[in-house]
Amino acid sequence: MNNDVVIKAENISKQYRLGEIGTGMLSHDLKRWWALARGKEDPFLKVGVENDRTRKANSEYAWALKDINFEIKRGDTLGIIGKNGAGKSTLLKLLSRVTGPTTGQIKIKGRIASLLEVGTGFNPELSGRDNIYMNGTILGMTKKEIGRKFDEIVDFSGIEMYIDTPVKRYSSGMYVRLAFGVAAHLEPEILIVDEVLAVGDAEFQKKCLGKMGDVASHGRTVIFVSHNMQAVQSLCKSAMYMKSGRVMEVGPTDVVINNYLNREVKNCLVRKWEEQDDMPGNDKVRLSSAEIVLHNPEAGNIIDVNTPFDIRFEFYSSAEMVNMNLSLVLNTTAGVCVFNVTTQPTMIAKGWHTSVLSIPGKLLNDDVYTISLYFVKDTSAIEYVIHDLLTFEVIDEQRQGAWFGKWVGAVRPTTLPFSLK
Amino acid sequence: MVQHQTEHDNENWDIKISADSGYLDINLREIWRYRDLLMMFVKKDIVTVYKQTILGPIWFMLQPILTAIIYAFIFGQVARISTGNAPQILFYLGSFTIWNYFAETFKVTSKTFSENATVFGKVYFPRIILPLSKVISGIIKLLIQFLLFFVIWAYYLWVKEAITPNWHMVFFPVILALIAFMSLGFGIIITSLTTKYRDLNFLVAFGIQLLQFVTPVIFPISSIKNPSYHLWLWLNPLASLFEAFKYAFLGQGTGVFNYYWLGYSVIWTIVALVVGIVIFNRVEKKFIDTV
């Protein structure tokens, strides 16, 4: 009946105490203890705020997870997605039994192993050989199992020459490869993986993802947490979207990721001002609207690296005749200037004017960009500047191949002719 | 039908993670399953100590013998504290080695949570494995150290004929076991109490030093002239163990073998261990949030 459910979470919540531990905490502990001693409920379980990291908390307690319920079936591969602070890592910690829930219960069937980091328990003084056994046993393998896989692990990590050297003499790359080698050869019934794939070079990531794919295809259950939608999409059959400590949605990966992007991507695609006094500008020029318009309106508001779109501005010029040009600077939110483009200087009359910049697909990288707009008079004098006028996020496409690392660069002009014969 | 299904459901789960736990919820089967990890921790403790040293494991022996020589000079020659009928060096070597085992095991197990928070924060294994591994690696070190004791002991026994050991030596493993479990019990109590408020750590640090001087480590209780102090000294649960060890190996006058006080120490050990396991179990689930 319920036989194929291997993980069942019932009403789990996790409360964290904010601030420093000191005498201030003691009074709360005493109150809690006194309430429990009289058989009453813990008074501090009723308080607590949602885990929103952008605001200052007005309570001393925060709920990292609140009333989470879900079931995972045998052989499922579940990706957990959500922004920082959504509770993903807390949930993994609970599932891995690193810490306990404040309320609720999780029930698990079968052997479970979790990879919240690679190389847990590595001792720098011990040799590679000893560390394989150390790390393997910490992750729940027996010595016999490790012995059986030993050659494979050494082979996988490519450190045969250094196997009897203390790992403190390893390069960081060798260290990570050895650590991942052990991790990749775990054979639990349920595997929990945090974003450990962020380590290593591209070739190595490929190897690891391949290995994880193997694990999943052998009927074992995998839970995978990542910010990387591409990795989730290609590895996971279903996904769970979390926000502020709650489960928003569980379902097929495509659907969930799409909804996640629609809700979470921080876009400011349209800005319009109705009243003249509100419009940014001065007595010469006033901007009434700025907006990003996708060429294909069916795509919703999601801009991926292939999406062509227009940036449109409407403004009012009060001068009778003026030689004006618009200058647009595109920055990433990290502050890297991507480019600066300008319109031709044009004599414009008093009245409303429109300006459009077309951005083709396959130009921008996956990143969050902001726009600054300059009104320039006589090609030299800046009449007015509006910084951070619009903000938009470009998301990655579903990539081919097996590499899902961050694509570097402020732009990704994939249409540039680049051939190999 | 629904009822039946829930019951059936409950039986099949291997692991249940919830907010509460039973008091004596020590899962022996799980510890057994992780026995290889236990042995790896023990191996690491022993091996890493003398990595990159020339003398290697000999260092284990040098520490007690040097201490015994200094003790023999300070307490024996300068302070002239009686060691009964036993040669001073042997008396100090034996009791210091055992004391050192107790003190080290207690100190290191009393920091189980705070010192291993990084590992505990990343992976689950029965937390008790770690303090347990310290107890075992300590015993192995102690046995290495006792090789030296036995050499000197044999010299005084057969060459000098200066000591009169007796059949009570068969209790040696029992005495060691009691010391091991007592240090484990007290250690895990302290570590469980100090995950949130660390005040107790300060007490432990110097308390253990003071405790050595009220435990019959460098003197036999019988050497205290004023008998009204004796009761107070015997109330220390470690006292009967040190007295018994010395009586068994060194003979009359160096210690007393008292079954009643030994029974008293056994009770202390059991209580410390049970209390330790209970609060360790309660703390291990969530300590990572406050450590």
Side-chain angles (χ1 to χ4, degrees):
Chain A
M1 282 169 283
N2 270 339
N3 277 352
D4 52 346
V5 173
V6 288
I7 298 180
K8 190 170 182 182
E10 295 165 339
N11 292 316
I12 49 171
S13 300
K14 178 77 183 171
Q15 190 184 48
Y16 279 111
R17 172 81 205 246
L18 307 175
E20 222 179 317
I21 295 176
T23 38
M25 275 200 143
L26 190 58
S27 72
H28 277 209
D29 280 347
L30 292 175
K31 276 181 208 162
R32 177 180 290 129
W33 178 80
W34 176 234
L36 293 175
R38 287 177 300 162
K40 292 196 174 173
E41 217 182 308
D42 183 343
F44 297 106
L45 279 187
K46 292 173 196 152
V47 299
V49 290
E50 222 176 50
N51 189 17
D52 181 349
R53 292 187 188 172
T54 55
R55 272 180 307 177
K56 194 173 182 303
N58 49 17
S59 165
E60 283 171 85
Y61 296 89
W63 291 100
L65 294 176
K66 188 85 180 153
D67 301 326
I68 304 271
N69 287 285
F70 62 87
E71 283 184 354
I72 300 172
K73 293 200 164 69
R74 189 183 310 283
D76 199 359
T77 43
L78 179 80
I80 302 179
I81 56 177
K83 297 207 307 187
N84 285 327
K88 306 185 300 284
S89 302
T90 307
L91 183 59
L92 279 205
K93 276 188 188 169
L94 294 185
L95 286 170
S96 329
R97 293 207 274 168
V98 162
T99 184
T102 310
T103 64
Q105 177 165 249
I106 306 172
K107 294 187 274 190
I108 297 169
K109 238 178 254 174
R111 271 179 70 178
I112 186 164
S114 58
L115 292 174
L116 301 191
E117 77 176 356
V118 288
T120 312
F122 263 36
N123 186 300
E125 299 290 339
L126 293 177
S127 66
R129 182 187 304 277
D130 285 341
N131 271 311
I132 289 178
Y133 280 99
M134 188 79 223
N135 186 223
T137 47
I138 274 197
L139 291 170
M141 286 197 267
T142 64
K143 229 169 158 173
K144 228 165 103 191
E145 285 173 313
I146 302 166
R148 223 169 36 229
K149 302 241 159 182
F150 189 84
D151 291 338
E152 246 182 280
I153 295 172
V154 174
D155 209 43
F156 184 90
S157 15
I159 52 138
E160 206 172 350
M161 239 178 101
Y162 311 96
I163 194 67
D164 289 312
T165 306
V167 297
K168 64 180 174 184
R169 312 228 182 283
Y170 283 24
S171 73
S172 51
M174 284 158 60
Y175 186 94
V176 167
R177 284 209 301 275
L178 178 65
F180 217 106
V182 183
H185 289 83
L186 280 174
E187 284 191 339
E189 282 145 354
I190 303 167
L191 181 65
I192 298 179
V193 189
D194 203 355
E195 272 180 309
V196 281
L197 295 173
V199 297
D201 49 38
E203 189 204 2
F204 192 67
Q205 284 193 357
K206 203 166 145 181
K207 239 167 140 181
C208 297
L209 276 169
K211 194 79 199 173
M212 264 184 70
D214 282 357
V215 171
S217 65
H218 281 83
R220 278 191 294 267
T221 313
V222 180
I223 300 174
F224 178 51
V225 159
S226 183
H227 281 107
N228 189 325
M229 295 304 134
Q230 276 54 58
V232 172
Q233 199 135 39
S234 57
L235 281 173
C236 304
K237 278 185 271 183
S238 56
M240 181 159 104
Y241 162 28
M242 294 185 69
K243 187 179 182 179
S244 301
R246 288 167 203 270
V247 174
M248 303 295 284
E249 191 183 6
V250 185
T253 311
D254 291 346
V255 178
V256 175
I257 286 185
N258 210 29
N259 289 340
Y260 163 75
L261 291 175
N262 262 320
R263 300 179 70 149
E264 297 277 347
V265 169
K266 261 212 187 120
N267 281 349
C268 174
L269 300 183
V270 183
R271 288 179 81 178
K272 285 193 166 130
W273 294 270
E274 298 293 335
E275 298 296 321
Q276 195 183 334
D277 290 345
D278 300 337
M279 294 178 189
N282 54 21
D283 54 348
K284 301 276 168 47
V285 59
R286 285 197 184 271
L287 185 75
S288 68
S289 81
E291 106 183 88
I292 287 174
V293 183
L294 270 60
H295 288 184
N296 176 10
E298 278 160 33
N301 282 333
I302 296 178
I303 303 170
D304 77 17
V305 290
N306 296 321
T307 313
F309 58 93
D310 289 349
I311 308 175
R312 308 168 68 96
F313 306 102
E314 258 179 65
F315 63 96
Y316 185 81
S317 174
S318 318
E320 282 303 332
M321 272 308 250
V322 64
N323 184 8
M324 175 82 84
N325 73 291
L326 263 55
S327 173
L328 178 146
V329 177
L330 186 76
N331 286 305
T332 66
T333 44
V336 178
C337 176
V338 182
F339 58 65
N340 176 207
V341 287
T342 60
T343 63
Q344 286 294 327
T346 312
M347 291 301 288
I348 55 169
K350 183 176 174 175
W352 292 98
H353 300 274
T354 309
S355 168
V356 180
L357 169 67
S358 272
I359 307 256
K362 301 184 194 298
L363 171 66
L364 298 179
N365 201 357
D366 63 312
D367 210 333
V368 183
Y369 297 91
T370 68
I371 289 166
S372 299
L373 185 67
Y374 293 71
F375 292 96
V376 184
K377 201 174 79 178
D378 299 331
T379 69
S380 56
I382 295 171
E383 186 70 64
Y384 196 76
V385 189
I386 308 158
H387 288 296
D388 297 330
L389 180 56
L390 296 174
T391 306
F392 60 96
E393 180 168 356
V394 177
I395 61 163
D396 208 347
E397 64 182 322
Q398 184 162 7
R399 248 185 256 164
Q400 302 297 313
W403 182 67
F404 305 101
K406 169 79 182 115
W407 197 301
V408 296
V411 290
R412 196 196 293 184
T414 37
T415 47
L416 294 185
F418 190 16
S419 67
L420 173 69
K421 280 190 178 119
Chain B
M1 181 61 202
V2 174
Q3 186 77 43
H4 175 77
Q5 187 181 332
T6 18
E7 269 168 28
H8 174 80
D9 206 39
N10 281 337
E11 281 162 18
N12 271 332
W13 300 104
D14 296 318
I15 303 166
K16 278 187 192 173
I17 306 166
S18 63
D20 316 297
S21 60
Y23 283 104
L24 265 173
D25 228 356
I26 188 154
N27 191 338
L28 287 173
R29 234 178 59 199
E30 196 177 41
I31 294 173
W32 177 244
R33 198 159 71 68
Y34 276 91
R35 64 193 181 280
D36 288 339
L37 177 61
L38 180 67
M39 282 358 267
M40 278 310 294
F41 278 137
V42 172
K43 183 181 172 189
K44 183 199 81 183
D45 279 348
I46 305 278
V47 171
T48 51
V49 170
Y50 58 82
K51 279 267 155 136
Q52 290 198 355
T53 62
I54 293 160
L55 294 180
I58 293 174
W59 278 112
F60 286 137
M61 295 198 205
L62 282 175
Q63 187 207 2
I65 189 69
L66 291 176
T67 312
I69 290 168
I70 297 295
Y71 276 22
F73 176 67
I74 298 291
F75 300 123
Q77 300 304 313
V78 179
R80 295 202 175 276
I81 295 171
S82 161
T83 54
N85 306 324
Q88 284 169 348
I89 202 84
L90 199 56
F91 186 98
Y92 293 132
L93 186 60
S95 49
F96 173 75
T97 307
I98 297 181
W99 171 260
N100 194 41
Y101 171 57
F102 173 79
E104 288 300 316
T105 310
F106 174 65
K107 262 192 265 180
V108 69
T109 51
S110 72
K111 288 188 181 150
T112 304
F113 286 130
S114 50
E115 299 272 289
N116 298 291
T118 43
V119 173
F120 286 163
K122 292 298 178 192
V123 67
Y124 174 83
F125 52 85
R127 304 317 193 196
I128 195 81
I129 293 271
L130 246 170
L132 217 50
S133 75
K134 299 294 178 190
V135 170
I136 296 172
S137 60
I139 279 279
I140 293 171
K141 285 179 201 168
L142 176 132
L143 292 177
I144 295 172
Q145 290 167 344
F146 254 86
L147 292 178
L148 189 66
F149 173 83
F150 283 127
V151 170
I152 299 174
W153 180 78
Y155 168 78
Y156 278 110
L157 178 60
W158 286 302
V159 181
K160 291 275 201 169
E161 296 183 359
I163 46 174
T164 52
N166 49 65
W167 69 270
H168 288 101
M169 288 192 294
V170 298
F171 283 101
F172 185 51
V174 179
I175 292 170
L176 283 188
L178 285 170
I179 288 190
F181 287 123
M182 212 188 292
S183 59
L184 176 67
F186 286 125
I188 61 178
I189 289 174
I190 297 292
T191 190
S192 306
L193 294 179
T194 49
T195 56
K196 206 165 187 184
Y197 305 103
R198 301 191 182 156
D199 307 54
L200 263 180
N201 279 341
F202 294 95
L203 187 66
V204 167
F206 71 88
I208 193 89
Q209 285 179 340
L210 298 183
L211 185 62
Q212 182 183 354
F213 296 107
V214 293
T215 304
V217 176
I218 52 168
F219 58 87
I221 290 184
S222 59
S223 73
I224 307 288
K225 297 286 184 292
N226 185 343
S228 57
Y229 291 135
H230 286 190
L231 176 67
W232 293 107
L233 289 167
W234 281 107
L235 280 175
N236 173 355
L238 287 164
S240 72
L241 303 173
F242 280 89
E243 286 282 309
F245 163 74
K246 281 179 287 201
Y247 175 77
F249 282 86
L250 305 175
Q252 211 89 48
T254 58
V256 175
F257 202 94
N258 185 315
Y259 285 104
Y260 294 109
W261 284 114
L262 278 172
Y264 169 79
S265 300
V266 170
I267 292 168
W268 264 96
T269 307
I270 294 171
V271 170
L273 204 55
V274 169
V275 171
I277 289 169
V278 167
I279 63 173
F280 191 86
N281 266 337
R282 293 198 75 72
V283 167
E284 68 168 4
K285 279 192 176 173
K286 284 186 193 163
F287 86 96
I288 204 77
D289 303 337
T290 52
V291 73

